[in-house]
Amino acid sequence: MTIRRASGTWKGPTVREIAELANVGPATVDRVLNNRHGVREKTRQRVLGALDKLSQERSEIESPLSVRLFCESGETFNAAMAAAAAEVNRSVPGASIEAHYVTTSQLEPGVFGRRIEHDGSEADGVVVVAREHPAINRAIRKLRSVGMPVVCLTTDLPSSRRSTYVGNDQYAAGSVAALLIGNGLPKERNNILIVMSVPFRCQQEREMGFRRVLRSDFPYLKIEERVISDDRPETTCEQLIRFFETNDHPAAIYNVAGANRGVAKALETVGKAGKTVFVGHELTNNSRALLESGVMDYVISHDFAGELTAAVRWIRDNLNGATAEPPHSQILVHTRYNCGL
């Protein structure tokens, strides 16, 4: 396996240049760029802001950068990520993202892992959105063993020894969902249903944050069951209708996975659409329509294009010697009143 490196006349800003713009000493910049302790968060953000500003100012002479994106998720998430990749290709000078998308229900982890290893070796850097699986972790480790920068996006894979993670704090996102549901339910309606799919780390972290806030802030609320689906609307709808036939109808549904359309279809089938607090993730064309129709109450999301841009820029900076961890992206909460795409 051989690794191609970005080449050209552009070089990243020097420590001294960053220090002058951020109004700090070179030693402080060195600590921030190498992720060492002893720097206040406000100072750290100022240094990173200076780095980003200097990098953008020189973007016109940046060399070409080939990035491979490997994305496993539901159809609507993959479509949103494809739109984000097209936006990054238009807006980030020199960047060229080639993407491979596969839906969760059709994934063969071994095949996907081999594709990551083979196709990824031909790029300057790799971005991965995928579940926890030994074959996928193994492919990323092999790329890392030869120096390839690998960024996990949206859902982390720390066991893969990836280079870094770009995305929001999913534990905090689940905590936000618990706060929204807890504040929206009266005490006499206290049963909540969680919908999950395959073992994406982001879903597990969302559930942990959700449960923690319920225990600490809303102890009278209880989680009745978890429905496990495969991120397909049809399967999710069938699973939920089957659940409704044998259980009390939940006061709220928290969907940590995809297939919001499947949840909505099930609620419509049993006549509970608009009568059940429904919180999910990822603002797409489908979830936007569900918000506008009143079936969904809240969608917790993030900036797809912004995060992919950050991942691409991190790869470029890493190839030029920077090693700082990117900060978590902002958690966005959408309702029917602010869900424009």
Side-chain angles (χ1 to χ4, degrees), residues 142-173:
K142 287 185 177 180
L143 290 177
R144 291 295 303 126
S145 70
V146 293
M148 173 69 70
V150 179
V151 177
C152 283
L153 193 69
T154 303
T155 183
D156 201 3
L157 296 172
S159 298
S160 70
R161 302 175 195 154
R162 83 296 184 263
S163 305
T164 195
Y165 165 71
V166 171
N168 61 32
D169 181 339
Q170 300 290 358
Y171 186 94

Side-chain angles (χ1 to χ4, degrees), residues 8-301:
T9 59
W10 183 86
K11 297 293 182 183
T14 66
V15 168
R16 186 172 298 280
E17 289 171 331
I18 299 170
E20 289 177 355
L21 182 59
N23 196 28
V24 299
T28 298
V29 174
D30 181 72
R31 283 196 293 272
V32 171
L33 295 184
N34 289 286
N35 204 31
R36 298 193 183 102
H37 297 295
V39 181
R40 293 180 179 178
E41 181 60 23
K42 186 174 181 180
T43 302
R44 178 177 175 275
Q45 292 299 327
R46 193 162 72 244
V47 170
L48 293 177
L51 171 62
D52 187 57
K53 185 175 187 299
L54 289 168
S55 297
Q56 290 188 43
E57 287 176 350
R58 303 180 185 191
S59 62
E60 304 86 36
I61 55 174
E62 286 180 347
S63 59
L65 182 73
S66 171
V67 175
R68 293 295 175 92
L69 167 64
F70 301 92
C71 183
E72 174 216 348
S73 191
E75 291 180 0
T76 56
F77 182 97
N78 285 348
M81 192 57 67
E87 174 63 25
V88 173
N89 283 337
R90 288 192 299 268
S91 62
V92 179
S96 176
I97 298 175
E98 293 184 39
H100 172 67
Y101 303 97
V102 60
T103 57
T104 295
S105 60
Q106 297 177 340
L107 179 78
E108 295 182 28
V111 174
F112 193 61
R114 288 191 292 274
R115 182 146 194 175
I116 291 173
E117 182 183 352
H118 179 269
D119 293 1
S121 67
E122 300 174 353
D124 295 316
V126 170
V127 178
V128 177
V129 182
R131 70 179 73 185
E132 293 267 10
H133 192 279
I136 296 171
N137 286 341
R138 183 166 54 249
I140 294 174
R141 288 193 200 106
K142 287 185 177 180
L143 290 177
R144 291 295 303 126
S145 70
V146 293
M148 173 69 70
V150 179
V151 177
C152 283
L153 193 69
T154 303
T155 183
D156 201 3
L157 296 172
S159 298
S160 70
R161 302 175 195 154
R162 83 296 184 263
S163 305
T164 195
Y165 165 71
V166 171
N168 61 32
D169 181 339
Q170 300 290 358
Y171 186 94
S175 300
V176 170
L179 185 65
L180 294 171
I181 288 177
N183 286 334
L185 289 181
K187 288 190 176 182
E188 59 271 17
R189 299 186 66 209
N190 62 0
N191 56 328
I192 301 171
L193 176 67
I194 294 180
V195 180
M196 301 190 71
S197 66
V198 297
F200 286 98
R201 188 179 183 90
C202 64
Q203 295 183 20
Q204 297 165 349
E205 291 174 343
R206 290 167 184 169
E207 183 183 4
M208 287 190 293
F210 185 78
R211 288 180 180 271
R212 182 194 67 80
V213 171
L214 289 190
R215 286 195 303 269
S216 62
D217 295 5
F218 307 98
Y220 54 89
L221 297 178
K222 59 182 179 180
I223 297 172
E224 298 239 331
E225 290 283 348
R226 294 193 307 176
V227 169
I228 310 297
S229 186
D230 62 358
D231 275 344
R232 294 176 63 244
E234 298 81 8
T235 305
T236 301
C237 180
E238 291 171 4
Q239 295 272 28
L240 282 173
I241 290 176
R242 192 174 301 123
F243 175 86
F244 296 153
E245 289 173 348
T246 57
N247 296 271
D248 291 337
H249 188 85
I253 293 178
Y254 176 37
N255 183 18
V256 303
N260 287 314
R261 282 183 298 160
V263 178
K265 180 64 175 176
L267 290 173
E268 290 166 353
T269 300
V270 299
K272 295 294 185 178
K275 301 175 183 178
T276 305
V277 177
F278 177 14
V279 178
H281 287 266
E282 314 302 359
L283 185 67
T284 65
N285 286 327
N286 289 327
S287 59
R288 177 189 180 190
L290 294 175
L291 283 172
E292 291 176 339
S293 68
V295 177
M296 291 191 78
D297 295 277
Y298 300 99
V299 170
I300 300 169
S301 192

Side-chain angles (χ1 to χ4, degrees), residues 322-335:
T323 58
E325 289 287 325
H328 283 136
S329 59
Q330 186 176 8
I331 297 171
L332 306 176
V333 179
H334 301 276
T335 70

